Amino acid sequence: MTLPRTYLYVPGNSPDKLEGALGRGADAVIADLEDAVPMAEKDTALDTVLGWLQAHATDGPELWVRLNSGERRLHEVARLRESPGLAGLVLAKTADAAEVTAVASISGELELMPMVESPGAVLDARALAAGPRVRQLQIGEVDLAGETRLQVGEDEAELAPHRALVVLGSAAAGIAPPPGPVSREIRDLDRFAVSTRRLIRQGFHGRVCIHPAQVAVVHELMVPTPAQIAEAQETLVLLDEAEARGTGVIVDSAGRLVDPAVLHSARAVLALARQSGVA
């Protein structure tokens, strides 16, 4: 499976924005029924999103929906689970693995993306990631910082331990790495780029966006360099040659041992290069 580099949030109560989001270049679009929608408009927004999914069952980007927490969640799953074109459900404010299992039990074959937004969820990241049909976790840093009284500085160092637990929990459960969290920075795109580079170094894959201007920045940063592509190609050639010789020992041109983890990384680089249109 080719993972989306970008997930773009769009308010579920705005038909015009839902329509427009499909042409903004994001790999996936998340119709939001939670924070972006006032309580009085929740039911109307759900109807709007259902119609949008029906109309765009085979169009372009992956289509996801972020559900509310609490009593509304299972009601929304029941309404959405048969929607054509729906790839998955984002579970806002997931408290524990039991919530993931409950949604999975009634959501058919839809993939799930639990949101890690509380101290308890961070500490239980591996259990959340191991839930049925969980593709990725998503960290919600605004809520998390509020609950833990973090005062986040320019380098975001205060968030690093929490991010690491989500990345490690995902890897330990054998699922895909999480997308980077949302940023409220929609005008200073240079600052947004610095933050995104940091997230990629920390083990995140791409990023969740809240504004179309952020999408192109993430995609540009996800393009492998020519040197990375060449190294990955060399690694796979060396693998083929080693298999032809009947040996499991592979050494690259720089004299470094190539192990299974390096081979996995090489394949990931080439897949990303193809997705980015440079290979």
Side-chain angles (χ1 to χ4, degrees):
M1 181 189 67
T2 301
L3 284 176
R5 298 160 295 176
T6 46
Y7 291 88
L8 177 62
Y9 271 118
V10 187
N13 61 341
S14 177
D16 290 343
K17 289 182 179 178
L18 286 168
E19 292 296 321
L22 298 174
R24 295 295 192 171
D27 292 335
V29 174
I30 304 173
D32 188 14
L33 296 176
E34 197 220 9
D35 284 349
V37 180
M39 184 58 65
E41 298 180 28
K42 298 285 188 185
D43 290 333
T44 301
L46 178 56
D47 290 338
T48 298
V49 169
L50 285 164
W52 174 72
L53 292 168
Q54 182 71 39
H56 298 286
T58 60
D59 291 358
E62 284 188 356
L63 305 182
W64 288 66
V65 178
R66 177 162 74 169
L67 308 177
N68 287 281
S69 57
E71 295 180 359
R72 288 196 60 88
R73 177 173 284 160
L74 297 184
H75 165 70
E76 290 167 348
V77 175
R79 294 282 311 277
L80 288 162
R81 62 187 172 193
E82 302 297 333
S83 297
L86 180 60
L89 303 169
V90 178
L91 312 183
K93 297 179 176 60
T94 310
D96 53 42
E99 288 190 14
V100 179
T101 300
V103 172
S105 70
I106 64 168
S107 57
E109 298 303 314
L110 294 174
E111 293 192 286
L112 304 179
M113 186 184 297
M115 292 198 66
V116 180
E117 302 182 77
S118 67
V122 170
L123 294 174
D124 289 342
R126 181 175 184 175
L128 297 179
R133 299 196 308 281
V134 172
R135 176 199 284 187
Q136 294 169 282
L137 300 180
Q138 183 185 151
I139 185 169
E141 293 184 338
V142 175
D143 284 42
L144 182 60
E147 285 202 39
T148 53
R149 299 185 181 181
L150 292 181
Q151 298 182 28
V152 182
E154 187 73 20
D155 63 359
E156 302 175 333
E158 296 79 10
L159 293 165
H162 309 77
R163 292 174 175 178
L165 287 172
V166 175
V167 170
L168 289 171
S170 299
I175 67 168
V182 301
S183 167
R184 292 180 291 176
E185 193 61 72
I186 62 175
R187 293 184 179 175
D188 189 344
L189 295 180
D190 289 338
R191 183 176 179 181
F192 175 75
V194 169
S195 172
T196 302
R197 287 191 191 96
R198 182 182 300 117
L199 287 163
I200 293 170
R201 292 197 305 271
Q202 291 172 334
F204 291 83
H205 181 89
R207 192 158 197 181
V208 182
C209 301
I210 60 170
H211 192 279
Q214 297 174 331
V215 171
V217 176
V218 176
H219 286 186
E220 182 178 352
L221 294 174
M222 294 288 288
V223 178
T225 66
Q228 289 172 325
I229 294 171
E231 182 178 348
Q233 291 170 334
E234 178 196 12
T235 297
L236 296 188
V237 168
L238 290 171
L239 172 63
D240 290 339
E241 293 175 348
E243 289 180 343
R245 295 193 306 269
T247 178
V249 178
I250 307 173
V251 180
D252 67 15
S253 58
R256 298 169 298 188
L257 187 67
V258 177
D259 62 13
V262 174
L263 293 171
H264 177 77
S265 296
R267 293 190 179 100
V269 166
L270 294 178
L272 192 54
R274 289 191 293 271
Q275 187 179 18
S276 303
V278 295

